[in-house]
Amino acid sequence: MQSPPHDPGSALAIRTQYRQSQSRAARLRLLLGTGHELTQLPLSAMRQRAVQRACAFMAMDHGLLLEWAADTTFRTIASHGSQERLDLLANLAQPPSAEPQWLEYPGSALPQVLRVPLRGSDGVVFGALLLGNGVALGTPDNEDIESLQLLATLLAAHLENSRLLEALQARERTMSELVHRLFSAQEDERKRVAYDLHDGLAQNLAGLHQRLQGFAGRCPPLPPALANDLQAILDLARGCVGEGRQLIGGLRPHALDDFGLYKAVDKEADRLRDAGLSVDWAEHSAARLPGNTEIALFRIAQEGINNILKHARASHVRLGLMVSDDRASLRVEDNGRGFALEQPIETNGTCHLGLAAMQERASLLGGHLSCFSQPDGGTRLLASVPLPTHGTHS
């Protein structure tokens, strides 16, 4: 059987379509591969791999990924090729135009250079992808340059996100340091005020109460009305002394300094007992902890007890303090009316500032605070912080 005559035109068309399909497949592999690596590789490895992919796609043997600073100086964040020619390529790294540029340098070690800008979401150029080749090539077609521009767009978005994340992390570190200083200053001020009250107003109130008692003991029998007034004055003076001591204890509990966290929290729980609530300890430890750990956990317990007295309408409270070699955990649980906590504590805005402050105290120690609550289901707070494994407690 005789084969059909060969049609050169048809063969040429098939070869042309084949090359076009290969070119489209290469562009697709470039974009899909880079997009996948953006989410899978560490940042430095991703940048390096993107430059390598761009060089392979354009058949060019040197590449630089650059970012510009505010003063238009640049830094290299990824590179591919020999250092000598990369230095030459870097000399061509002036801020590019807003569009890709194909540059010719006949007789140079890098006769051809492709500069592709990296634009931020605001359209401002903040970097560039530079590719260079040691051997002259044909000018790339528009589709190849458009594909490389899409790659640069992916890179720009990822780099911008990384820069924003770094700025946010730096801001969070600054805010954490400010909060730490605020808490430290607050504790120092509370200690100073507590000592001033103890040495001044509290002593005067105690002296006044003693003198009134002495006067009442030496005073001859009084008419019933005057006797009742004197007794009311004595009761008022005694109440002022008690409130003064309670105020001083709230500012800087001596039990915390003298006996440790367990005794201090238990004494703070006397406010619950005085209000008619039953209190029990699920577990406790009398071990002394580092000073900053004790004061942070005490303030968390104090705030939890305040919330119970103000809002919970509870009848029973269970406390817990567990201390191991590397961690301390404090639990405050009530059977009150609870509340709906539909979002994490840090995203609740001003709805739960007390909880946010407690969580910040725990996080400053490298720990965390968990809150479990639901309407009519009570509330449970659990603060857990790490303990130093070496060194003495301060």
Side-chain angles (χ1 to χ4, degrees):
M1 181 178 180
Q2 188 176 4
S3 59
H6 180 66
D7 184 351
S10 298
L12 179 61
I14 291 173
R15 284 196 298 269
T16 301
Q17 290 177 356
Y18 176 71
R19 291 193 186 99
Q20 289 175 347
S21 65
Q22 281 189 316
S23 179
R24 285 193 293 268
R27 297 185 189 106
L28 188 60
R29 284 195 301 269
L30 172 71
L31 298 176
L32 290 179
T34 303
H36 176 74
E37 289 167 350
L38 287 177
T39 60
Q40 298 297 321
L41 293 178
L43 188 60
S44 59
M46 177 278 297
R47 294 169 176 170
Q48 189 70 27
R49 182 63 179 146
V51 173
Q52 292 171 350
R53 279 185 174 274
C55 287
F57 175 72
M58 298 300 294
M60 303 181 83
D61 48 22
H62 290 78
L64 284 175
L65 186 60
L66 308 174
E67 275 190 316
W68 271 268
D71 58 358
T72 70
T73 59
F74 65 85
R75 67 184 183 102
T76 300
I77 56 178
S79 62
H80 174 70
S82 65
Q83 189 59 51
E84 180 181 356
R85 294 192 177 184
L86 288 176
D87 291 340
L88 178 60
L89 189 59
N91 291 331
L92 306 173
Q94 67 266 26
S97 66
E99 300 298 330
Q101 294 175 306
W102 177 259
L103 307 172
E104 302 276 355
Y105 299 98
S108 169
L110 292 175
Q112 294 173 326
V113 172
L114 176 61
R115 262 200 322 240
V116 183
L118 301 179
R119 288 190 292 268
S121 57
D122 56 0
V124 176
V125 175
F126 69 87
L129 174 64
L130 272 71
L131 303 180
N133 203 51
V135 179
L137 301 172
T139 303
D141 60 31
N142 291 335
E143 290 187 353
D144 286 343
I145 292 181
E146 287 176 2
S147 297
L148 207 61
Q149 181 64 74
L150 287 174
L151 170 67
T153 301
L154 288 175
L155 275 174
H158 199 74
L159 292 174
E160 189 173 37
N161 288 341
S162 299
R163 293 164 70 189
L164 292 173
L165 179 60
E166 289 174 359
L168 179 61
Q169 290 172 338
R171 182 179 177 85
E172 287 183 348
R173 287 192 296 270
T174 301
M175 291 301 296
S176 294
E177 178 62 23
L178 289 174
V179 170
H180 173 69
R181 292 183 182 183
L182 175 62
F183 283 153
S184 297
Q186 186 183 62
E187 291 301 330
D188 291 342
E189 184 66 12
R190 282 176 167 176
K191 184 187 294 187
R192 186 191 67 78
V193 172
Y195 287 154
D196 288 348
L197 288 175
H198 180 270
D199 294 340
L201 181 61
Q203 297 291 348
N204 291 335
L205 287 174
L208 174 63
H209 181 240
Q210 290 176 353
R211 285 179 174 273
L212 284 173
Q213 283 184 314
F215 173 78
R218 296 190 305 270
C219 185
L222 298 173
L226 292 179
N228 290 337
D229 287 343
L230 180 58
Q231 186 58 48
I233 293 172
L234 283 170
D235 292 341
L236 182 60
R238 185 185 306 110
C240 288
V241 171
E243 288 182 9
R245 289 173 177 169
Q246 186 176 11
L247 176 61
I248 292 171
L251 289 171
R252 183 68 186 189
H254 294 292
L256 185 64
D257 296 328
D258 297 338
F259 304 110
L261 182 61
Y262 162 61
K263 290 291 187 181
V265 174
D266 190 63
K267 184 169 181 59
E268 190 71 11
D270 284 343
R271 295 195 290 137
L272 297 169
R273 299 182 181 103
D274 293 343
L277 284 72
S278 63
V279 179
D280 69 75
W281 284 87
E283 63 278 318
H284 69 268
S285 171
R288 293 308 303 261
L289 305 176
N292 58 342
T293 302
E294 286 191 336
I295 191 63
L297 291 179
F298 174 80
R299 293 303 180 196
I300 290 173
Q302 187 180 52
E303 182 66 23
I305 290 171
N306 287 340
N307 289 340
I308 292 172
L309 290 172
K310 291 179 181 177
H311 309 297
R313 300 179 187 174
S315 61
H316 178 72
V317 175
R318 171 163 287 197
L319 304 173
L321 176 62
M322 293 182 60
V323 179
S324 63
D325 292 338
D326 61 352
R327 187 161 290 273
S329 299
L330 173 75
R331 179 155 60 103
V332 180
E333 185 175 359
D334 68 71
N335 66 344
R337 61 178 182 170
F339 58 92
L341 187 64
E342 298 177 353
Q343 297 175 300
I345 295 172
E346 62 271 14
T347 63
N348 267 274
T350 59
C351 295
H352 300 287
L353 289 178
L355 287 175
M358 287 188 275
Q359 185 181 62
E360 189 63 30
R361 287 186 182 276
S363 65
L364 286 175
L365 296 175
H368 63 273
L369 176 82
S370 301
C371 178
F372 307 93
S373 185
Q374 58 183 2
D376 300 321
T379 301
R380 184 175 75 223
L381 296 175
L382 178 62
S384 179
V385 299
L387 297 175
T389 54
H390 301 287
T392 58
H393 293 169
S394 59

